[in-house]
Amino acid sequence: MDCKAFVLKQAEGIRRTVGDATAISALSGGVDSSVVTVLGHLAIGKQMKVIFIDDGLMRQDEPQEVKGLFAKLGIQVRVLNAKKRFFDAFHGLTDPEEKRKAFRDTFYKVFGDAVKASGARFLLQGTIAPDIIETKKGVKTQHNVLEQIGIDPESGYGFGVVEPIKTLYKPDVRRVARFLCLPPSISQRMPFPGPGLSARCMGEVTPPRIAIVRKACLIVEQEMAGSKAFQTFGVLLADRPTGITKDGRRREGDAIAIRCVDSKNAVTAQATKISWARLVRMRDRILKEIPTVTKVLCDLTPKPPSTIEYI
Ligand code: XMP
C-alpha cells in the first residue's frame, strides 16, 4: 500500500467535503479514529474539533491517557462526560442487538448535540472495511455504520459523516498510523469495540457490572502483555454460578471468561495458546481482585462460529 498517496488523497477528500465548514472528529483512542483525527488535523487544521466521548465503558484510565497522548501531538481533545446518558440507555436491556442499538443511538445523539452546540456540519469517523461488511451481512450492528443499514445521518442526526478509511483493513490502518508517525501505543493499539466494555458484559449493563469487567480486562491485558495475541480481554457473563465461602456457605457469584484470540484482520480468529502458568496467574488475580467471582473460564472458540466479542 502507498501510504503517502493514500494520506494525500484522503486529506484532499476531507478538505473538499468539509469546505469552509467545521467538523468534529469522534476520537476513541483506537488506531482507526486516531488515524482519522490526524488526517483531519492535516487536512483542515483548526476547522476540526476533537471530542472524546467518555461513555463510562472505556478501559481503566483510558480517557485521560488518550487526551494526554494527543496533547503531545499538538491536538487538543475535549473529553465529554456522557456516562449517565449511556447507562440510562442500557437500563433494563439484556438482548445483545438491543444493547448495540441503544449504544449506537446514544452515541449519535450525544455527538449530534455536541455537533449542534459547536456549529459543526460534519463528523469524521474511523469506520473500516470489516465494520461495513459485518453490518451489511447482518452479523452485528457496528456502532459506526449508518448508511449501510438505511439510516441517513443528515436527516436522522443532523450532520454529514465523513469516513476516510472505510476501504482499509486493520493492517493497512496500522501502516498509515506508522506513516503518520503516531506512537506505537496507538499504531499497535489492541482493537477495542466501539460499544466498549458493554460488548464484554452479558446481561444488563450497569456501572457496578462494568467496573467488574473493567477490572477483568485490566488483569487479562496485564498478564498477556508481550504476547502476540490480536486481542486479550475478560468478559462478565450473565450467569450466577454457585460458589462456596471459606466457611463453607453457599453463595452465588459472577462468572468471568478469559478471551484471547490470534487474528490478522478480525474477520477470522483462533484461540491464543496460553501456558498453564499464565492461565493460573490470571485465574488467581481475578479471584483475588474481584471477590464476587465464583467461576473463571477460558474461551477457546474460534471465529467462526463465534465472534471475537460477546455481543
Ligand atoms: P467481532 O466481535 O465482530 O469483532 O468478531 C471484530 C473486531 O471488531 C471489533 N468490534 C467493533 N469495532 N465497533 C468497532 O469499531 C463495533 O461496534 C465493534 N464490535 C466489535 C472487535 O473488538 C474485533 O476487533
Side-chain angles (χ1 to χ4, degrees), residues 247-264:
D247 54 5
R249 274 179 297 125
R250 177 196 163 95
R251 66 165 179 144
E252 274 185 3
D254 293 312
I256 295 287
I258 296 168
R259 177 79 166 145
C260 302
V261 295
D262 296 341
S263 176
K264 281 204 165 58

Side-chain angles (χ1 to χ4, degrees), residues 94-105:
T94 53
D95 176 77
E97 266 300 282
E98 280 182 21
K99 281 158 53 173
R100 278 187 165 267
K101 286 182 176 142
F103 179 87
R104 183 194 63 202
D105 287 348

